[in-house]
Amino acid sequence: MVKLENNLVIRPIKKVTAQHYQLFLNADPSRKVVNSYLNRAYQFELVHDETLLGVLLLIDTRPETIEIVNVAVDESVQNQGLGEKLIQFAIDWSKQHRYHTIEIGTGSTSFAQLYLYQKCGFRVVSVDHDFFVNNYDEPIIENKLVLKDMIRLKKELH
């Protein structure tokens, strides 16, 4: 558990609730995809006085590499720096657990997320063309654009 300012706490999720799951779906709209990584993820929640504000899921991908596969903040408290706190927690936690690299992927139309991840020190390393077309049953519209490609970013932790 990590205590932040103003009674904010990031801690492991004890039991995934419907509220947690809704936040996961806010970041990743496919139940099938969320279910594919949920049970093997390190699961964390951001709470303020026991009110759930955000979630973070990390998975091992390769030796010494971890990926943020889901990060979300409740819409009612977005744009207050909480996403950045979750990302920074993920970086710090990964360093403490001796990972050398942390990765994250996001949609090519996810402009706010791309800004946040780069602000936190992540660098673009590749594009998975048609990732969302090939892996999601329904088209995803974001910022009035059809989401097709995933932008892959990473940060070295040493």
Side-chain angles (χ1 to χ4, degrees):
M1 177 168 63
V2 173
K3 293 183 180 183
L4 307 171
E5 73 282 348
N6 302 324
N7 295 331
L8 283 172
V9 174
I10 299 175
R11 64 187 182 199
I13 295 173
K14 289 181 183 156
K15 184 178 189 307
V16 173
T17 66
Q19 192 179 8
H20 290 105
Y21 204 84
Q22 186 55 55
L23 284 173
F24 300 147
L25 291 174
N26 288 352
D28 187 336
S30 170
R31 288 181 184 278
K32 183 172 103 181
V33 174
V34 169
N35 290 339
S36 76
Y37 56 68
L38 181 59
N39 289 333
R40 60 190 172 107
Y42 301 101
Q43 305 171 357
F44 300 95
E45 63 186 0
L46 172 67
V47 295
H48 177 264
D49 293 333
E50 297 307 315
T51 300
L52 179 63
L53 300 181
V55 292
L56 170 70
L57 299 176
L58 305 167
I59 61 168
D60 293 303
T61 55
R62 290 183 301 286
E64 301 176 336
T65 301
I66 195 160
E67 181 177 351
I68 299 170
V69 291
N70 195 298
V71 59
V73 173
D74 188 270
E75 290 177 13
S76 67
V77 291
Q78 287 182 357
N79 301 310
Q80 297 179 28
L82 298 179
E84 187 172 353
K85 289 182 190 319
L86 283 166
I87 298 294
Q88 191 56 55
F89 170 85
I91 292 166
D92 293 344
W93 185 92
S94 299
K95 285 179 182 177
Q96 290 168 3
H97 289 83
R98 305 214 184 319
Y99 290 93
H100 292 188
T101 306
I102 186 168
E103 300 177 331
I104 194 165
T106 195
S108 59
T109 58
S110 304
F111 308 130
Q113 291 87 337
L114 282 166
Y115 170 77
L116 172 62
Y117 305 150
Q118 291 176 86
K119 181 179 169 185
C120 291
F122 287 80
R123 303 281 310 270
V124 174
V125 291
S126 65
V127 178
D128 288 349
H129 294 281
D130 291 326
F131 177 88
F132 294 98
V133 174
N134 295 333
N135 292 288
Y136 288 75
D137 296 333
E138 301 287 327
I140 300 170
I141 308 297
E142 184 178 46
N143 293 314
K144 299 181 183 175
L145 297 168
V146 176
L147 176 57
K148 296 178 183 173
D149 305 323
M150 178 183 285
I151 307 293
R152 306 283 308 159
L153 303 96
K154 77 176 183 178
K155 178 179 175 69
E156 298 300 333
L157 299 175
H158 44 342

